[in-house]
Amino acid sequence: MSEKADRPNPASDQRESEQERAEERALFARYQADPCPANEELLLKKYQSLVYKIVHKFTHGSDQFDDLVQEGTKGLLLAIRRFDLSLNYRFSTYAWQTIQGEIQRYFRDRTWAVNVPRDLKEKSLKVFKAREELAAAQTNEPTVTDVAKFTSLSEEDVLEAMELGSAYHPQSFMDNARDGDAGIMLSEESPGAEHLDMRTTKRGVFWENLLIHLTDVEQRIIRMYFFEQRTQKEIATILNTSQMNVSRIMRNAIGKIRRLVEPADFENLGML
Amino acid sequence: MVKMAGNNVELKVPVDAAYVSVVRLLVSGLATRMGLSIEDLEKLKLVIGEAFLSVVNGSSRDQGLIRLKWVEATDSITVSLFDAAGQRKEVVSAVELELLKSLGGEYTSTTVDGVDKLDIGFTIKYQEDRPFLFHERESGQA
């Protein structure tokens, strides 16, 4: 191996980075001008490695790997379709949030942190689905009695199943990802350093206008979670409360934000 | 030990965070009896569970019992948590209270005859005869 190859060359690295960026912009410009399946496929292949990087951080066991890749790829596809060249971000920075979001949803909906007997797990999922179906079908929020009738379970069974719901990852599912992935985050363009600066970016200004509608506590939590990239567990420690409480406040705050913005705008936030 | 007295229920549990699940199950059972929606029931479970944990964390001794009193009326629910071992003027700190308030409910934290007491009040309203927890901030009035 030559001496030249062994030495880092900052000027060369910078040129490569600029070249990559230009290629990326060209690819997306072409895709946005002609969003045909072939162009989409090209982008999917190019950025598939990003999905593996993120999945690697979330993998709890080998049996989840394929599912997580599938969910992450869905996130990647969404990111490709929503990417806005005018914001001048690197695609990888933007896609990171979307891929991570899909994986989080997977954990939230389908995985359990503690070993729960299969019949109880099935009962809990049945109750969870019934709640969603009833909520969609009727104007009123469902009650335990409604769910019991719908599922042919007793009210006690429904209550037990609902309580089991808290066996879904009792701690923040972000813990594994955020505690150890500083290296990867920084190898991309760090969101904390530039892209999530609330005063100087388009998205930041948009967020600032939304946050004024929230209570002080809600604002603090949203800022810490989305802009300082802290986990729910870290926030809970800072605020001297439980992760469950933080999660609930965050859910309420996001609900308020959802009501304040148009669906299309909400999608464009790309973070929730 | 659960004691029924009309629409009032009392529960005494050790000063131990592990009993939060017992508190949550009791609350969900009582809320179901009232006909509250699951959304409201989940909120009650969370609020009262969190309040219970705050009282446990603020308790000066880990022995003794925390008393939970549920008082149900047609237009309100009041849940009181009593900690005889508590030695603070207020059961929970201002920051904790602020966090709890963001979840809903009206809070009063006092010490009466040496017993720390936290009252949490909820207003009940009705829509098509179905009760729901009324929260002013969430109702868009603030």
Side-chain angles (χ1 to χ4, degrees):
Chain A
M1 193 180 284
S2 72
E3 193 180 326
K4 190 180 170 186
D6 289 342
R7 281 186 194 161
N9 184 338
S12 164
D13 287 350
Q14 195 184 346
R15 268 198 307 278
E16 272 179 32
S17 171
E18 281 169 6
Q19 196 180 343
E20 274 176 24
R21 195 167 189 140
E23 278 173 15
E24 178 180 294
R25 293 186 68 81
L27 269 176
F28 272 97
R30 194 167 76 181
Y31 170 67
Q32 284 167 6
D34 177 17
C36 65
N39 284 342
E40 199 165 81
E41 184 75 25
L42 203 67
L43 286 166
L44 270 175
K45 277 187 185 159
K46 183 170 171 59
Y47 293 103
Q48 186 68 35
S49 61
L50 194 57
V51 172
Y52 289 112
K53 264 187 190 175
I54 298 171
V55 165
H56 176 68
K57 290 290 164 190
F58 280 96
T59 307
H60 292 267
S62 55
D63 57 322
Q64 288 181 319
F65 185 78
D66 289 345
D67 286 346
L68 292 183
V69 169
Q70 192 179 334
E71 296 305 312
T73 306
K74 264 164 60 184
L76 175 61
L77 190 59
L78 284 175
I80 289 171
R81 289 176 181 172
R82 294 172 185 168
F83 186 52
D84 183 353
L85 272 174
S86 68
L87 293 177
N88 210 24
Y89 296 162
R90 285 300 297 264
F91 174 71
S92 51
T93 307
Y94 175 74
W96 185 278
Q97 298 286 349
T98 320
I99 295 169
Q100 195 166 260
E102 285 302 311
I103 292 173
Q104 283 171 15
R105 193 166 296 134
Y106 170 87
F107 276 116
R108 193 169 56 221
D109 295 347
R110 297 182 213 167
T111 68
W112 298 78
V114 291
N115 211 1
V116 176
R118 180 179 286 273
D119 61 326
L120 290 180
K121 199 188 283 183
E122 282 171 0
K123 212 182 273 180
S124 184
L125 288 173
K126 196 173 172 184
V127 167
F128 180 75
K129 277 187 183 169
R131 279 181 64 180
E132 293 209 323
E133 282 182 35
L134 285 168
Q138 59 190 42
T139 49
N140 295 315
E141 285 286 334
T143 64
V144 170
T145 312
D146 295 335
V147 174
K149 276 184 194 157
F150 190 81
T151 55
S152 304
L153 293 170
S154 69
E155 288 187 1
E156 286 76 15
D157 276 346
V158 173
L159 288 177
E160 186 187 40
M162 280 166 45
E163 199 54 24
L164 266 180
S166 55
Y168 280 122
H169 291 257
Q171 293 184 332
S172 168
F173 38 65
M174 294 298 296
D175 288 355
N176 286 345
R178 288 196 179 166
D179 288 349
D181 67 356
I184 292 183
M185 291 298 280
L186 292 173
S187 72
E188 309 300 336
E189 292 178 25
S190 168
E194 179 186 355
H195 300 291
L196 299 182
D197 184 326
M198 301 184 66
R199 288 158 304 219
T200 57
T201 66
K202 190 174 165 185
R203 183 193 285 174
V205 172
F206 188 57
W207 270 97
E208 280 289 10
N209 286 330
L210 290 175
L211 290 181
I212 54 172
H213 297 282
L214 305 180
T215 66
D216 288 346
V217 172
E218 287 168 341
Q219 283 191 29
R220 272 188 82 186
I221 289 177
I222 292 283
R223 281 176 205 277
M224 281 194 272
Y225 187 81
F226 289 112
F227 296 93
E228 295 169 22
Q229 300 288 300
R230 291 183 191 275
T231 65
Q232 289 186 0
K233 197 178 169 195
E234 285 170 349
I235 299 170
T237 306
I238 292 167
L239 297 178
N240 195 24
T241 186
S242 70
Q243 181 263 326
M244 210 171 168
N245 196 356
V246 171
S247 167
R248 176 81 189 194
I249 295 171
M250 216 163 80
R251 196 145 62 91
N252 279 349
I254 291 169
K256 283 185 190 175
I257 293 170
R258 275 184 190 278
R259 288 191 289 274
L260 284 167
V261 299
E262 295 291 324
D265 290 337
F266 193 78
E267 291 294 307
N268 288 336
L269 288 175
M271 298 176 78
L272 301 178
Chain B
M1 53 190 96
V2 179
K3 186 173 70 183
M4 297 289 292
N7 287 334
N8 300 349
V9 177
E10 287 190 22
L11 172 76
K12 286 181 181 174
V13 288
V15 186
D16 184 343
Y19 281 84
V20 69
S21 56
V22 177
V23 169
R24 284 166 56 87
L25 264 176
L26 173 78
V27 168
S28 60
L30 292 171
T32 299
R33 280 188 72 261
M34 288 185 72
L36 288 170
S37 71
I38 293 174
E39 182 76 15
D40 281 347
L41 180 156
E42 294 282 9
K43 179 179 279 184
L44 277 178
K45 276 193 331 192
L46 183 78
V47 169
I48 297 166
E50 287 294 327
F52 173 76
L53 290 174
S54 293
V55 174
V56 169
N57 292 337
S59 186
S60 53
R61 282 188 294 145
D62 57 4
Q63 290 179 332
L65 297 168
I66 289 176
R67 184 158 64 97
L68 182 150
K69 188 176 179 187
W70 169 284
V71 178
E72 190 181 303
T74 50
D75 59 353
S76 67
I77 302 169
T78 308
V79 179
S80 304
L81 290 160
F82 301 86
D83 176 23
Q87 291 178 349
R88 297 195 294 177
K89 277 190 174 177
E90 292 190 332
V91 183
V92 293
S93 70
V95 174
E96 286 168 330
L97 268 183
E98 193 54 40
L99 280 163
L100 287 169
K101 277 179 189 165
S102 71
L103 298 173
E106 294 299 321
Y107 295 81
T108 318
S109 180
T110 51
T111 299
V112 179
D113 297 332
V115 176
D116 285 348
K117 183 185 173 206
L118 177 67
D119 288 320
I120 315 161
F122 300 93
T123 303
I124 302 287
K125 293 211 172 185
Y126 294 83
Q127 190 172 30
E128 296 168 10
D129 290 337
R130 290 172 76 117
F132 68 94
L133 290 182
F134 179 73
H135 191 276
E136 213 166 88
R137 269 176 293 183
E138 286 181 2
S139 69
Q141 296 182 11

PDB file of all heavy atoms in Angstrom, chain A residues 141-158:
ATOM      1  N   GLU A 141     -65.801   8.079  22.832  1.00  0.00           N
ATOM      2  CA  GLU A 141     -64.647   7.249  23.200  1.00  0.00           C
ATOM      3  C   GLU A 141     -65.178   5.944  23.793  1.00  0.00           C
ATOM      4  O   GLU A 141     -66.125   5.972  24.585  1.00  0.00           O
ATOM      5  CB  GLU A 141     -63.822   7.968  24.268  1.00  0.00           C
ATOM      6  CG  GLU A 141     -62.989   9.103  23.744  1.00  0.00           C
ATOM      7  CD  GLU A 141     -61.775   8.615  22.978  1.00  0.00           C
ATOM      8  OE1 GLU A 141     -61.325   7.493  23.253  1.00  0.00           O
ATOM      9  OE2 GLU A 141     -61.307   9.349  22.102  1.00  0.00           O
ATOM     10  N   PRO A 142     -64.613   4.794  23.427  1.00  0.00           N
ATOM     11  CA  PRO A 142     -65.130   3.540  23.979  1.00  0.00           C
ATOM     12  C   PRO A 142     -64.883   3.420  25.486  1.00  0.00           C
ATOM     13  O   PRO A 142     -63.924   3.981  26.007  1.00  0.00           O
ATOM     14  CB  PRO A 142     -64.354   2.472  23.213  1.00  0.00           C
ATOM     15  CG  PRO A 142     -63.154   3.149  22.697  1.00  0.00           C
ATOM     16  CD  PRO A 142     -63.514   4.582  22.497  1.00  0.00           C
ATOM     17  N   THR A 143     -65.759   2.661  26.136  1.00  0.00           N
ATOM     18  CA  THR A 143     -65.569   2.369  27.556  1.00  0.00           C
ATOM     19  C   THR A 143     -65.118   0.920  27.680  1.00  0.00           C
ATOM     20  O   THR A 143     -65.138   0.163  26.695  1.00  0.00           O
ATOM     21  CB  THR A 143     -66.881   2.537  28.341  1.00  0.00           C
ATOM     22  OG1 THR A 143     -67.810   1.566  27.845  1.00  0.00           O
ATOM     23  CG2 THR A 143     -67.459   3.926  28.176  1.00  0.00           C
ATOM     24  N   VAL A 144     -64.759   0.534  28.896  1.00  0.00           N
ATOM     25  CA  VAL A 144     -64.358  -0.857  29.130  1.00  0.00           C
ATOM     26  C   VAL A 144     -65.530  -1.782  28.809  1.00  0.00           C
ATOM     27  O   VAL A 144     -65.349  -2.856  28.229  1.00  0.00           O
ATOM     28  CB  VAL A 144     -63.890  -1.032  30.596  1.00  0.00           C
ATOM     29  CG1 VAL A 144     -63.700  -2.505  30.942  1.00  0.00           C
ATOM     30  CG2 VAL A 144     -62.598  -0.259  30.822  1.00  0.00           C
ATOM     31  N   THR A 145     -66.740  -1.342  29.155  1.00  0.00           N
ATOM     32  CA  THR A 145     -67.935  -2.157  28.873  1.00  0.00           C
ATOM     33  C   THR A 145     -68.082  -2.365  27.363  1.00  0.00           C
ATOM     34  O   THR A 145     -68.369  -3.481  26.907  1.00  0.00           O
ATOM     35  CB  THR A 145     -69.186  -1.439  29.438  1.00  0.00           C
ATOM     36  OG1 THR A 145     -68.900  -1.049  30.776  1.00  0.00           O
ATOM     37  CG2 THR A 145     -70.398  -2.338  29.415  1.00  0.00           C
ATOM     38  N   ASP A 146     -67.878  -1.300  26.590  1.00  0.00           N
ATOM     39  CA  ASP A 146     -67.957  -1.429  25.120  1.00  0.00           C
ATOM     40  C   ASP A 146     -66.955  -2.467  24.618  1.00  0.00           C
ATOM     41  O   ASP A 146     -67.287  -3.333  23.797  1.00  0.00           O
ATOM     42  CB  ASP A 146     -67.619  -0.091  24.430  1.00  0.00           C
ATOM     43  CG  ASP A 146     -68.638   0.989  24.743  1.00  0.00           C
ATOM     44  OD1 ASP A 146     -69.781   0.639  25.058  1.00  0.00           O
ATOM     45  OD2 ASP A 146     -68.266   2.186  24.683  1.00  0.00           O
ATOM     46  N   VAL A 147     -65.734  -2.348  25.109  1.00  0.00           N
ATOM     47  CA  VAL A 147     -64.673  -3.263  24.637  1.00  0.00           C
ATOM     48  C   VAL A 147     -64.975  -4.692  25.080  1.00  0.00           C
ATOM     49  O   VAL A 147     -64.778  -5.647  24.327  1.00  0.00           O
ATOM     50  CB  VAL A 147     -63.286  -2.809  25.161  1.00  0.00           C
ATOM     51  CG1 VAL A 147     -62.207  -3.829  24.815  1.00  0.00           C
ATOM     52  CG2 VAL A 147     -62.912  -1.456  24.583  1.00  0.00           C
ATOM     53  N   ALA A 148     -65.496  -4.843  26.291  1.00  0.00           N
ATOM     54  CA  ALA A 148     -65.825  -6.185  26.790  1.00  0.00           C
ATOM     55  C   ALA A 148     -66.880  -6.835  25.894  1.00  0.00           C
ATOM     56  O   ALA A 148     -66.762  -7.999  25.516  1.00  0.00           O
ATOM     57  CB  ALA A 148     -66.311  -6.094  28.236  1.00  0.00           C
ATOM     58  N   LYS A 149     -67.884  -6.051  25.537  1.00  0.00           N
ATOM     59  CA  LYS A 149     -68.938  -6.596  24.660  1.00  0.00           C
ATOM     60  C   LYS A 149     -68.357  -6.955  23.292  1.00  0.00           C
ATOM     61  O   LYS A 149     -68.631  -8.007  22.739  1.00  0.00           O
ATOM     62  CB  LYS A 149     -70.050  -5.556  24.476  1.00  0.00           C
ATOM     63  CG  LYS A 149     -71.072  -5.571  25.607  1.00  0.00           C
ATOM     64  CD  LYS A 149     -72.186  -4.581  25.301  1.00  0.00           C
ATOM     65  CE  LYS A 149     -73.020  -4.331  26.556  1.00  0.00           C
ATOM     66  NZ  LYS A 149     -73.721  -3.050  26.502  1.00  0.00           N
ATOM     67  N   PHE A 150     -67.565  -6.072  22.765  1.00  0.00           N
ATOM     68  CA  PHE A 150     -67.000  -6.230  21.423  1.00  0.00           C
ATOM     69  C   PHE A 150     -66.093  -7.460  21.335  1.00  0.00           C
ATOM     70  O   PHE A 150     -66.066  -8.153  20.326  1.00  0.00           O
ATOM     71  CB  PHE A 150     -66.213  -4.962  21.068  1.00  0.00           C
ATOM     72  CG  PHE A 150     -65.783  -4.874  19.637  1.00  0.00           C
ATOM     73  CD1 PHE A 150     -66.666  -4.437  18.657  1.00  0.00           C
ATOM     74  CD2 PHE A 150     -64.487  -5.206  19.255  1.00  0.00           C
ATOM     75  CE1 PHE A 150     -66.267  -4.338  17.339  1.00  0.00           C
ATOM     76  CE2 PHE A 150     -64.076  -5.119  17.937  1.00  0.00           C
ATOM     77  CZ  PHE A 150     -64.977  -4.679  16.970  1.00  0.00           C
ATOM     78  N   THR A 151     -65.344  -7.706  22.406  1.00  0.00           N
ATOM     79  CA  THR A 151     -64.358  -8.791  22.367  1.00  0.00           C
ATOM     80  C   THR A 151     -64.860 -10.070  23.028  1.00  0.00           C
ATOM     81  O   THR A 151     -64.166 -11.084  23.013  1.00  0.00           O
ATOM     82  CB  THR A 151     -63.070  -8.370  23.110  1.00  0.00           C
ATOM     83  OG1 THR A 151     -63.434  -7.960  24.435  1.00  0.00           O
ATOM     84  CG2 THR A 151     -62.351  -7.244  22.420  1.00  0.00           C
ATOM     85  N   SER A 152     -66.063 -10.009  23.626  1.00  0.00           N
ATOM     86  CA  SER A 152     -66.616 -11.146  24.391  1.00  0.00           C
ATOM     87  C   SER A 152     -65.726 -11.518  25.580  1.00  0.00           C
ATOM     88  O   SER A 152     -65.697 -12.676  25.995  1.00  0.00           O
ATOM     89  CB  SER A 152     -66.815 -12.375  23.494  1.00  0.00           C
ATOM     90  OG  SER A 152     -67.621 -12.063  22.404  1.00  0.00           O
ATOM     91  N   LEU A 153     -64.986 -10.557  26.087  1.00  0.00           N
ATOM     92  CA  LEU A 153     -64.190 -10.789  27.299  1.00  0.00           C
ATOM     93  C   LEU A 153     -64.951 -10.174  28.476  1.00  0.00           C
ATOM     94  O   LEU A 153     -65.835  -9.335  28.291  1.00  0.00           O
ATOM     95  CB  LEU A 153     -62.824 -10.102  27.185  1.00  0.00           C
ATOM     96  CG  LEU A 153     -61.841 -10.631  26.139  1.00  0.00           C
ATOM     97  CD1 LEU A 153     -60.656  -9.672  26.002  1.00  0.00           C
ATOM     98  CD2 LEU A 153     -61.321 -12.007  26.525  1.00  0.00           C
ATOM     99  N   SER A 154     -64.599 -10.578  29.686  1.00  0.00           N
ATOM    100  CA  SER A 154     -65.218  -9.945  30.844  1.00  0.00           C
ATOM    101  C   SER A 154     -64.559  -8.575  31.062  1.00  0.00           C
ATOM    102  O   SER A 154     -63.449  -8.331  30.563  1.00  0.00           O
ATOM    103  CB  SER A 154     -65.031 -10.811  32.085  1.00  0.00           C
ATOM    104  OG  SER A 154     -63.665 -10.808  32.448  1.00  0.00           O
ATOM    105  N   GLU A 155     -65.217  -7.713  31.819  1.00  0.00           N
ATOM    106  CA  GLU A 155     -64.630  -6.397  32.092  1.00  0.00           C
ATOM    107  C   GLU A 155     -63.297  -6.553  32.824  1.00  0.00           C
ATOM    108  O   GLU A 155     -62.356  -5.801  32.584  1.00  0.00           O
ATOM    109  CB  GLU A 155     -65.603  -5.541  32.919  1.00  0.00           C
ATOM    110  CG  GLU A 155     -66.789  -5.065  32.104  1.00  0.00           C
ATOM    111  CD  GLU A 155     -67.669  -4.086  32.859  1.00  0.00           C
ATOM    112  OE1 GLU A 155     -67.355  -3.755  34.014  1.00  0.00           O
ATOM    113  OE2 GLU A 155     -68.687  -3.668  32.282  1.00  0.00           O
ATOM    114  N   GLU A 156     -63.233  -7.524  33.711  1.00  0.00           N
ATOM    115  CA  GLU A 156     -61.982  -7.759  34.457  1.00  0.00           C
ATOM    116  C   GLU A 156     -60.854  -8.155  33.500  1.00  0.00           C
ATOM    117  O   GLU A 156     -59.717  -7.695  33.635  1.00  0.00           O
ATOM    118  CB  GLU A 156     -62.162  -8.868  35.514  1.00  0.00           C
ATOM    119  CG  GLU A 156     -62.948  -8.467  36.736  1.00  0.00           C
ATOM    120  CD  GLU A 156     -64.457  -8.387  36.481  1.00  0.00           C
ATOM    121  OE1 GLU A 156     -64.926  -8.904  35.444  1.00  0.00           O
ATOM    122  OE2 GLU A 156     -65.158  -7.777  37.304  1.00  0.00           O
ATOM    123  N   ASP A 157     -61.216  -9.000  32.530  1.00  0.00           N
ATOM    124  CA  ASP A 157     -60.196  -9.407  31.547  1.00  0.00           C
ATOM    125  C   ASP A 157     -59.696  -8.196  30.753  1.00  0.00           C
ATOM    126  O   ASP A 157     -58.507  -8.075  30.455  1.00  0.00           O
ATOM    127  CB  ASP A 157     -60.776 -10.440  30.571  1.00  0.00           C
ATOM    128  CG  ASP A 157     -60.710 -11.844  31.140  1.00  0.00           C
ATOM    129  OD1 ASP A 157     -59.993 -12.038  32.138  1.00  0.00           O
ATOM    130  OD2 ASP A 157     -61.387 -12.737  30.598  1.00  0.00           O
ATOM    131  N   VAL A 158     -60.643  -7.324  30.407  1.00  0.00           N
ATOM    132  CA  VAL A 158     -60.260  -6.136  29.630  1.00  0.00           C
ATOM    133  C   VAL A 158     -59.330  -5.257  30.461  1.00  0.00           C
ATOM    134  O   VAL A 158     -58.291  -4.786  29.977  1.00  0.00           O
ATOM    135  CB  VAL A 158     -61.509  -5.340  29.182  1.00  0.00           C
ATOM    136  CG1 VAL A 158     -61.107  -4.021  28.522  1.00  0.00           C
ATOM    137  CG2 VAL A 158     -62.351  -6.159  28.226  1.00  0.00           C
TER     138      VAL A 158
END
